[in-house]
């Protein structure tokens, strides 16, 4: 089992009982994919005042003939679900406590480059990260990430937005 998968299980197990009615959604970052050796995984990210909830919404092959964004139905399920409910929708979903998050970086897309979202966090004295890229249908989420810079719950997190000034 990979280090990310092991730490994901541990963090999700530890957080299942911490879902409180007071947990507030700060941002829903939608329309992202992660490149794997033979496939593309589609992810959503819920940012609450307590944790980041990673939501696996689908997977497709990298082949141009077999490629499709398969996450649309799951994205709709996540839209109105609580973070705790989202964690139960897929065995790949996991949560990272906000205290463990070190940085959230968004590089805005341009005509020739997709937007990229990189999140880094600390687990058991090791660093983990996810780098996601925007799907073709994703809207610019610069405003959502910039708003996180002003959230007191994320005051210890380096939240950065890099916007492009041109084609590249």
């Amino acid at each position: 089992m990979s280090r990310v998968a092991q730490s994901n299980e541990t963090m999700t197990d530890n957080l299942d009982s911490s879902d409180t009615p007071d947990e507030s959604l700060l941002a829903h970052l939608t329309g992202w994919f992660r490149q794997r050796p033979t496939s593309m995984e589609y992810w959503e990210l819920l940012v609450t005042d307590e944790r980041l909830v990673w939501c696996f919404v689908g997977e497709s092959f990298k082949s141009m003939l077999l490629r499709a964004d398969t996450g649309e139905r799951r994205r709709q399920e996540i839209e109105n679900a609580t973070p705790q409910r989202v964690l139960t929708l897929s065995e790949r979903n996991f949560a990272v406590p906000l205290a463990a998050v070190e940085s959230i970086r968004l590089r805005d897309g341009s005509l020739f480059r997709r937007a990229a979202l990189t999140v880094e966090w600390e687990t058991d004295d090791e660093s983990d990260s996810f780098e996601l890229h925007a799907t073709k249908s994703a809207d610019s989420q610069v405003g959502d990430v910039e708003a996180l810079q002003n959230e007191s719950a994320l005051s210890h997190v380096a939240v950065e937005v890099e916007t492009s000034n041109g084609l590249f």
Side-chain angles (χ1 to χ4, degrees):
M1 184 182 283
S2 74
R3 188 181 86 217
V4 170
Q6 289 171 340
S7 65
N8 293 350
E9 279 184 24
T10 303
M11 282 187 280
T12 302
D13 291 344
N14 292 341
L15 290 170
D16 283 345
S17 62
S18 69
D19 191 37
T20 64
D22 299 348
E23 186 173 21
S24 299
L25 183 66
L26 303 177
H28 178 180
L29 304 177
T30 185
W32 298 95
F33 71 92
R34 180 178 181 209
Q35 292 184 344
R36 306 302 295 162
T38 59
S39 68
M40 296 168 64
E41 299 174 346
Y42 296 94
W43 291 87
E44 304 283 291
L45 178 61
L46 300 179
V47 182
T48 75
D49 57 351
E50 295 180 13
R51 57 191 170 173
L52 301 183
V53 180
W54 294 89
C55 313
F56 176 78
V57 294
E59 186 170 20
S60 68
F61 295 99
K62 283 179 116 175
S63 164
M64 289 299 282
L65 297 174
L66 301 174
R67 185 180 301 174
D69 182 349
T70 60
E72 208 50 49
R73 184 177 67 53
R74 282 265 174 92
R75 284 189 187 104
Q76 291 173 356
E77 285 181 61
I78 291 169
E79 193 69 34
N80 296 314
T82 65
Q84 188 58 34
R85 170 78 176 113
V86 167
L87 283 170
T88 66
L89 295 176
S90 172
E91 61 189 30
R92 293 187 188 184
N93 293 358
F94 65 97
V96 176
L98 228 45
V101 178
E102 296 174 343
S103 67
I104 300 172
R105 291 188 187 88
L106 174 66
R107 185 192 72 213
D108 195 21
S110 66
L111 185 59
F112 295 108
R113 177 181 77 182
R114 290 184 188 261
L117 178 69
T118 305
V119 180
E120 297 174 337
W121 64 92
E122 189 76 25
T123 59
D124 302 327
D125 300 322
E126 294 181 29
S127 290
D128 265 327
S129 67
F130 251 40
E131 180 173 272
L132 304 171
H133 300 278
T135 62
K136 287 182 181 179
S137 61
D139 292 329
S140 173
Q141 296 172 58
V142 170
D144 294 331
V145 176
E146 285 178 336
L148 294 176
Q149 293 173 330
N150 301 322
E151 290 292 339
S152 60
L154 294 164
S155 62
H156 67 285
V157 177
V159 179
E160 301 171 9
V161 176
E162 175 190 330
T163 55
S164 61
N165 293 331
L167 301 175
F168 303 97

